[in-house]
Amino acid sequence: MELSISTGPAEPPLLGSTIGADLLATVARHGDREALVDCDSGRRWTYAQLKTSVDSVALGLRRLGVTKGDRVGIWAPNGAEWVLTQYATARLGAILVTVNPAYRSHELRYVLQQSGVRTLVAASSFKNSDYAAMIAEVRPQCPELVDVVLIGEDSWDSLTDISADPALLDGIEATLRPDDPINIQYTSGTTGFPKGATLSHRNILNNGYLVGELINYTEADRICIPVPFYHCFGMVMGNLAATSHGATMVIPAPGFDPGLTLEAVAKESCTSLYGVPTMFIAMLNHPRIDSFDLSSLRTGIMAGSPCPVETMKQVIERMGMTEVSICYGMTETSPVSCQTRTDDSLERRVSTVGRAGPHLEVKIVDAEGATAPIGVTGELCTRGYSVMLGYWEQPEKTAEAIDAEGWMHTGDLAVMDTDGYLRITGRIKDLVIRGGENVYPREVEEFVLTHPDVLDVQVIGVPDDTYGEEVMAWVRMRPGTAPLDAESLRSFCSGRLAHYKIPRYVRVVDDFPMTVTGKVRKVEMREISIRELS
C-alpha cells in the first residue's frame, strides 16, 4: 500500500544568508536595474537607490534606539515606505511585526502588547481608518511602545533625513544569523485573538526565493503586487521573491483596485501578477479589461483560497498568464508548502495545488495521526525549512501546531495522488456532516460554478434538527442574470450531485465577507446564516 507522503526536490540549494546580506548581493549584481515602482506616487528606485533609502530608514530607526531583536510594528497599506521599513528592519536585525490594515483599536492594542512593539511605523489614515487616532487611543495601555513614526508626517521625514553610513550597518549585519527571528505575522484567528507566527530570515528569504525559482524569475521580471504586504503573500512571495532575483517590485495602488492593477500591468509591462481568486475574478469582470495591453504577462501566482476551475482557465486564456502557478501554504510555513510547476498540464493547475516545494516534505494523516494511503482524504502536514520558529511567547499553542517530529499540522483536508500532487478538499472545521455523510464544500462549489449564471459560490453548513447540518450556498450572480433561488439550484443539481450534497438553502449576495488578504470568512457567513434562518 502506497502512503501519502512526498518530498520536494533538493535543488536549487537553500540560501544561507540573511535578508540584508541577500539584498546587498543583489545590489552588487544589479545596482542599475529598476527595483521598485510605486504607481500611486510615481516614485521609482534602482537597486542602488533602494539600498540608500533602506539604509537611511535603518539608521533613522537605530537613532531612535532600535536594536537587534526589538520589535518594530508596521501598520499601513501597500506603499514604498512599507518596503523600505521591511528591509531596514532586516538590516538592523529588528523583528518586523506586520499589523493588519483592517484592524481596529482593540486588535491593535492586543498585537502591540502581545509582541511588545517598541517602535510603530504607521500611516496616519487610509480609507475610513484613522490610524493616528486609534494609536493615540491605545498608546497609554502599551507601555513598551516608545516611538510612533507616521508615514508622510514630520516624524517620517525626521527618521529618513539622515545620510547613510554603510559601515555602521555592515557591522550590525555581521552579528546577524539566518536563523534569527525577523518577522512576526499574526494569523487571522477565527476564534479568540490571533497568534503571532514568528519567522526567521531563513524561513522567509528561502520561501520567496524558491517560489520565484519555480516560476523562472530572473532580473528581467517585473512583478505586479496588489496583494497586501502585511501578509506573506505580499512581503515574501512578492518582495523577497523579487529582490532575491533582482526583479522589479511594482505596487499598483495602496489597496486592491482591479482597474488600477490592470493599468499597472499594462503601463509597467509587468511579466507577473499576483492575486487571490476573488481578485482575478474582479479583474476578469472589469468592464475595460480588453482595453489594457496585458501581452507582457507570462506568469504569476494565484493563492489564498481554492481557485475555481473556470477562473484559472480565463486567467490563462484572456490574460495570457500561460505559466501561472497555484501556491498553497499558511502563514506558519512562510507561507508556501506546495506549488504547481510551469510545465504542469492545465488539468493539474486547475485541479491541484501542486506538489511539495524544494527542501520540503508533505504528508496526509488520518484522525489518529497515521499516514493515510494514497487517494484517501486526511489532514495535510508539512515539514522543512519553512516551518515557523513558533508562536510568539505561546509555547503551548506552538506545541499544538507542530508535533514532536517537526510536522506542522495545517488543519486543511487534502488528498494526494501517486505523483505527489495535492488536492485541497476543505478545512477540517469547514467539513459539513449531514446525516452522517461527509460533504466537502469544495466539491459542491466546483459543481455549482458550472451553472452559466453563477459568478462565484461559497458553501457552508448550517445547523439542522433532523440531519445535524444542512448544506447552504452563498451565490454571486453574473451581471444581468436573475437571482437563483433554492428550488432552481436544487433542480440544477438534481441527478448530478448526490442528494445529500445538494444545497437546501441559497443566499444571493453581491460580495462575501472577506479578510484583507482575500480569504472568505466562512465563520462569519455561518453566523449571518444562522441568524437569518433562525
Side-chain angles (χ1 to χ4, degrees):
M1 179 177 63
E2 192 173 358
L3 296 179
S4 297
I5 186 166
S6 178
T7 302
E11 294 292 334
L14 289 169
L15 300 176
S17 62
T18 62
I19 292 168
D22 185 75
L23 178 63
L24 295 182
T26 298
V27 171
R29 294 194 308 270
H30 305 295
D32 292 336
R33 296 194 67 88
E34 199 159 57
L36 177 63
V37 178
D38 186 351
C39 295
D40 186 57
S41 65
R43 294 171 295 167
R44 296 172 181 270
W45 287 258
T46 64
Y47 268 100
Q49 291 167 338
L50 180 67
K51 177 188 179 297
T52 298
S53 294
V54 164
D55 286 358
S56 178
V57 174
L59 288 166
L61 290 170
R62 184 69 188 86
R63 188 172 54 184
L64 290 178
V66 174
T67 60
K68 177 182 177 180
D70 284 343
R71 273 76 69 204
V72 175
I74 182 158
W75 193 30
N78 287 12
E81 289 80 6
W82 210 110
V83 180
L84 299 180
T85 304
Q86 176 183 351
Y87 288 91
T89 51
R91 287 278 274 155
L92 289 173
I95 301 173
L96 185 69
V97 180
T98 56
V99 184
N100 187 329
Y103 276 0
R104 289 298 181 257
S105 55
H106 73 288
E107 297 154 317
L108 173 67
R109 179 173 58 248
Y110 171 80
V111 166
L112 296 179
Q113 289 176 341
Q114 204 276 330
S115 62
V117 164
R118 183 200 184 281
T119 300
L120 178 63
V121 177
S124 57
S125 64
F126 180 63
K127 293 184 177 178
N128 63 345
S129 294
D130 188 339
Y131 293 144
M134 285 187 275
I135 294 167
E137 178 187 342
V138 306
R139 193 167 185 177
Q141 292 96 49
C142 301
E144 293 184 68
L145 181 59
V146 177
D147 294 298
V148 174
V149 177
L150 295 178
I151 296 169
E153 305 285 337
D154 290 344
S155 53
W156 176 265
D157 294 339
S158 176
L159 180 80
T160 56
D161 185 20
I162 186 170
S163 58
D165 180 1
L168 173 61
L169 293 173
D170 291 347
I172 294 171
E173 178 66 50
T175 71
L176 308 182
R177 299 293 178 264
D179 288 322
D180 290 340
I182 199 65
N183 181 212
I184 299 175
Q185 300 213 12
Y186 281 85
T187 60
S188 50
T190 54
T191 58
F193 281 104
K195 301 181 291 290
T198 308
L199 305 167
S200 66
H201 296 266
R202 172 183 165 87
N203 286 150
I204 59 177
L205 174 60
N206 277 290
N207 204 258
Y209 169 66
L210 292 170
V211 164
E213 285 289 288
L214 291 184
I215 49 177
N216 302 317
Y217 276 164
T218 71
E219 68 274 13
D221 280 293
R222 300 174 65 81
I223 309 167
C224 184
I225 312 173
V227 294
F229 288 151
Y230 99 89
H231 186 265
C232 278
F233 201 169
M235 68 168 285
V236 177
M237 299 155 70
N239 296 346
L240 288 172
T243 58
S244 61
H245 289 88
T248 307
M249 300 167 279
V250 177
I251 308 171
F256 174 65
D257 179 284
L260 293 177
T261 302
L262 292 167
E263 182 179 313
V265 170
K267 286 189 174 180
E268 297 297 331
S269 299
C270 293
T271 60
S272 178
L273 172 61
Y274 289 5
V276 298
T278 51
M279 289 180 174
F280 281 103
I281 289 170
M283 287 185 278
L284 288 164
N285 284 276
H286 190 275
R288 294 194 298 114
I289 184 174
D290 294 328
S291 68
F292 295 105
D293 181 3
L294 307 180
S295 60
S296 57
L297 284 174
R298 71 165 179 89
T299 189
I301 293 174
M302 198 181 300
S305 59
C307 173
V309 172
E310 187 57 34
T311 300
M312 183 65 160
K313 289 179 178 177
Q314 288 193 49
V315 165
I316 293 171
E317 294 168 5
R318 296 184 63 197
M319 301 180 78
M321 295 170 59
T322 55
E323 297 179 24
V324 66
S325 178
I326 293 286
C327 287
Y328 163 83
M330 60 194 304
T331 303
E332 291 89 337
T333 56
S334 303
V336 177
S337 302
C338 302
Q339 186 174 352
T340 60
R341 280 33 172 193
T342 56
D343 58 353
D344 279 339
S345 67
L346 176 61
E347 172 61 26
R348 279 212 157 122
R349 281 189 279 166
V350 299
S351 63
T352 78
V353 292
R355 49 194 169 93
H359 307 281
L360 297 174
E361 298 174 88
V362 292
K363 69 175 179 177
I364 307 295
V365 299
D366 62 21
E368 285 72 45
T371 305
I374 288 288
V376 174
T377 298
E379 183 182 14
L380 174 58
C381 300
T382 183
R383 181 169 70 175
Y385 78 86
S386 70
V387 175
M388 66 176 178
L389 300 177
Y391 293 118
W392 183 260
E393 295 189 344
Q394 291 185 296
E396 300 86 2
K397 296 291 186 184
T398 302
E400 291 173 9
I402 304 172
D403 66 27
E405 296 180 334
W407 289 98
M408 178 77 206
H409 290 250
T410 67
D412 283 322
L413 292 165
V415 61
M416 184 184 292
D417 68 17
T418 53
D419 295 319
Y421 282 80
L422 290 157
R423 183 166 54 87
I424 305 298
T425 58
R427 293 284 292 170
I428 290 175
K429 63 187 178 187
D430 288 340
L431 179 69
V432 181
I433 304 177
R434 181 193 182 277
E437 298 278 7
N438 289 353
V439 179
Y440 297 100
R442 169 74 176 192
E443 178 187 2
V444 181
E445 290 162 359
E446 287 288 3
F447 178 76
V448 174
L449 280 168
T450 64
H451 192 293
D453 295 342
V454 172
L455 178 65
D456 201 1
V457 61
Q458 296 292 328
V459 168
I460 59 173
V462 292
D464 182 78
D465 290 338
T466 304
Y467 295 103
E469 283 189 294
E470 268 291 3
V471 181
M472 180 174 189
W474 282 40
V475 177
R476 293 176 60 208
M477 307 301 298
R478 294 191 179 279
T481 59
L484 275 177
D485 58 24
E487 183 178 352
S488 59
L489 182 59
R490 283 199 296 270
S491 176
F492 179 76
C493 297
S494 181
R496 301 165 75 187
L497 274 182
H499 70 91
Y500 63 86
K501 299 177 184 177
I502 296 175
R504 179 178 176 185
Y505 305 107
V506 173
R507 186 177 195 265
V508 175
V509 297
D510 293 327
D511 293 293
F512 304 126
M514 309 286 281
T515 69
V516 73
T517 55
K519 291 184 178 181
V520 176
R521 285 188 47 80
K522 288 195 172 184
V523 169
E524 187 175 337
M525 290 168 57
R526 275 190 285 268
E527 292 170 351
I528 293 169
S529 301
I530 289 168
R531 285 199 304 270
E532 292 187 350
L533 295 170
S534 302

